[in-house]
Amino acid sequence: MRDAYIFDAVRSPRGKGRSNGSLHEVTPSKLSADMLNALKSRNGLEGHVVEDVIWGNATQVKEQGGCLARTAVLASDLDERIPGLSINRFCASGMEAVNLAANQVKGGAGDGYIAGGVECMSRVAMGSDGAAIAVDPSIAMGTYFVPQGISADIIATEFGFSRDDTDALAVESQNRAAAAWEDNRFSKTIVPINDMNGLPILAKDEYMRPGTDMQTLGALKPAFKDQGEVMPGFDAVALMKYPHLERINHVHHAGNSSGIVDGSAAILIGSKEFGEAHGLKPRARIKATAKIGTDPTIMLTGPVPVTQKILADNGIAIGDIDLFEVNEAFSAVVLRFMQAFDVDHAKVNVNGGAIAMGHPLGATGAIIIGTLLDELERQDKEMGLATLCVASGMGAATIIERV
C-alpha cells in the first residue's frame, strides 16, 4: 500500500444560510468551482493532472443534484478530461470524499485526487430531498426515528449534560473562533469569494456571534422541547426505545447547535510520486480512515465508536493524538466525546467549530481536516484526529500525521 498525502487545503468563508446571507447569490457549482480553481492556481495544476474530483453534498437535489462534482469541474478551469463523483454520507460527506480519495491513492487507483464538498443551505434547504429515513413510516417506525435535535437532547439526558454545560461549550466555541480570526489562523486556507466581476462578496465567516455569553444563551428557549413534548411528540418515541429514561431533558437551542450556512472546501491528495512530478511538498500523511454505523435513534454518538475503531485498527492510543476536531453539530456531541475519552478540552476544537462558524453539511468534513492540519502546523504538533457524527446513526473519522 502506498501512502496518501495532503498537499494543500482550501475553504470558503461560511455565509449565513438565509436569503440575506452573503453567499446566497452564489450557486453550489460556482462555490465549488472557486475551490477547484484555488487549488489549480495555488499548485500549478495543468492538464489531466488528477484522477478524479470526489465531492460530497448532503442534499443532492435541484442545484446540488445531477452529479454536482462533474458540474463543478466543468464550471471550473480544470481540464474537462477530469471526471467527477458526487457522494453522500450526510454530515460526513466532505470527510468521506477525502477518505475515499486517500484510499484510492493508497490502493494504486490514480496518483492524485481533489476531494471535498459543498452545501448551499440558503439555496437548497436541508431535508428538501425527502429522505425516506424521516418520511417513510415503514422505516421511521422501525428505527424509532426522531429529529436530530431530539437525539442531541437524548445524549444530554443519557450522559448527564446540563443546560449550563451545553451553553458553556457554545460560549467557548464563539470565543475561540473570534480569537482564531483575530490571530489570522485561517489565512492559509481561506479563499475569499468574489462575484463574476471580481468584486468581493465574502472574505470571513459571517455566522459568528462574538461576545456571546451565558446570559445571552440562557435567555433562549429550548428549540426542540415542543417538538418532543407536544403531540404527537417525539419524546414518546424516544422513551419507547430508552425506557430507563424518565424524561428527555431539552437543553439545545440555536445558540448551542451548529449554524445553518453556505460553504465549500477542497483538499489536494496524492502519492509521493504525484508530489514529485508536480513539485509539491506534502504537508501531512493521511494515516488512517474509518466509518461505522450506530444506533439510529440517538443518532449522534458516532464519534465515540468510530474513534475507538480507528485507534484499535491502527494500534494508536488516544494519548498519541495531539489535537482533535470533533464537529460541533450540537454541544452534547462534543461533550460526550470528551467524556468518553477523558480528553482535555484544550486539545479539542482549538479554533472553535460549527456552533460559532456554521456547518455546511457536505463541506464540513473537509473543512475540519484542513483546520486540523493548519493547527498542527501552528502548534508544531504531529498527529490529529477529525471526526463527525452522521445523520441516521453513523460516524466517520480521519487521522492525519504531519510529514
Side-chain angles (χ1 to χ4, degrees):
M1 294 280 286
R2 301 185 301 176
D3 284 330
Y5 297 96
I6 296 174
F7 293 96
D8 199 6
V10 296
R11 77 165 175 93
S12 74
R14 285 169 271 197
K16 295 177 183 177
R18 302 195 295 265
S19 59
N20 63 351
S22 294
L23 295 182
H24 177 63
E25 67 184 82
V26 183
T27 64
S29 55
K30 198 274 185 186
L31 194 58
S32 301
D34 282 356
M35 298 305 102
L36 301 181
N37 288 340
L39 286 183
K40 180 181 187 294
S41 63
R42 284 163 54 129
N43 298 281
L45 304 179
E46 298 296 336
H48 191 179
V49 67
V50 295
E51 187 75 17
D52 205 354
V53 170
I54 305 178
W55 213 240
N57 63 291
T59 308
Q60 298 190 358
V61 295
K62 301 179 181 178
E63 296 176 329
Q64 291 183 171
C67 191
L68 178 58
R70 176 59 176 166
T71 305
V73 170
L74 296 176
S76 76
D77 298 329
L78 291 180
D79 193 297
E80 67 178 12
R81 291 172 293 175
I82 298 171
L85 171 65
S86 289
I87 65 168
N88 183 0
R89 200 187 291 281
F90 298 125
C91 301
S93 298
M95 175 175 284
E96 191 60 38
V98 171
N99 291 352
L100 179 56
N103 291 327
Q104 294 279 82
V105 170
K106 289 181 180 182
D111 285 328
Y113 283 78
I114 293 174
V118 70
E119 207 78 31
C120 290
M121 302 178 76
S122 71
R123 298 177 67 93
V124 183
M126 178 171 55
S128 58
D129 54 351
I133 187 69
V135 303
D136 184 339
S138 67
I139 298 173
M141 291 176 66
T143 59
Y144 294 89
F145 171 83
V146 299
Q148 285 192 17
I150 303 293
S151 298
D153 287 339
I154 296 171
I155 293 173
T157 306
E158 176 72 20
F159 296 101
F161 306 128
S162 68
R163 171 68 181 262
D164 281 352
D165 293 334
T166 53
D167 283 357
L169 186 135
V171 169
E172 185 64 12
S173 180
Q174 294 286 351
N175 291 340
R176 291 182 179 190
W181 271 103
E182 181 69 23
D183 199 32
N184 292 318
R185 296 182 193 175
F186 302 126
S187 59
K188 185 182 294 186
T189 305
I190 285 287
V191 176
I193 304 302
N194 300 321
D195 67 15
M196 64 178 62
N197 298 311
L199 299 176
I201 297 176
L202 187 65
K204 181 179 179 179
D205 294 322
E206 70 172 349
Y207 184 80
M208 296 183 297
R209 298 178 294 278
T212 297
D213 56 25
M214 293 292 286
Q215 289 70 34
T216 303
L217 296 186
L220 299 177
K221 294 177 61 176
F224 310 105
K225 183 178 176 68
D226 288 348
Q227 197 177 43
E229 295 180 354
V230 177
M231 292 299 292
F234 284 105
D235 283 7
V237 176
L239 293 174
M240 285 192 290
K241 182 77 172 285
Y242 313 113
H244 62 285
L245 300 177
E246 291 184 10
R247 55 183 290 273
I248 307 301
N249 185 22
H250 293 287
V251 299
H252 288 93
H253 49 76
N256 59 24
S257 306
S258 56
I260 293 174
V261 295
D262 302 332
S264 185
I267 296 178
L268 179 61
I269 298 162
S271 64
K272 177 183 178 182
E273 293 76 14
F274 176 83
E276 291 172 345
H278 300 284
L280 302 174
K281 181 180 179 180
R283 294 173 61 189
R285 179 167 66 100
I286 298 178
K287 187 176 180 68
T289 69
K291 59 270 188 184
I292 201 166
T294 63
D295 179 341
T297 307
I298 202 167
M299 194 185 305
L300 307 173
T301 54
V304 173
V306 81
T307 295
Q308 292 169 335
K309 174 177 170 55
I310 199 170
L311 295 176
D313 288 351
N314 294 277
I316 300 170
I318 195 73
D320 296 332
I321 306 296
D322 296 305
L323 293 171
F324 300 86
E325 284 288 325
V326 183
N327 185 41
E328 294 175 351
F330 299 88
S331 282
V333 173
V334 182
L335 291 170
R336 172 56 188 149
F337 181 90
M338 293 190 295
Q339 179 191 67
F341 295 104
D342 193 24
V343 173
D344 188 343
H345 195 188
K347 295 183 176 182
V348 181
N349 301 347
V350 172
N351 296 308
I355 289 173
M357 293 175 283
H359 176 21
L361 307 178
T364 300
I367 289 174
I368 65 174
I369 291 173
T371 300
L372 180 62
L373 176 54
D374 285 346
E375 189 61 22
L376 286 170
E377 292 175 342
R378 189 182 76 86
Q379 294 194 28
D380 195 22
K381 301 293 186 181
E382 298 301 317
M383 194 182 305
L385 183 148
T387 183
L388 303 94
C389 59
V390 186
S392 76
M394 293 184 282
T398 307
I399 294 177
I400 63 173
E401 183 178 43
R402 286 180 60 210
V403 294

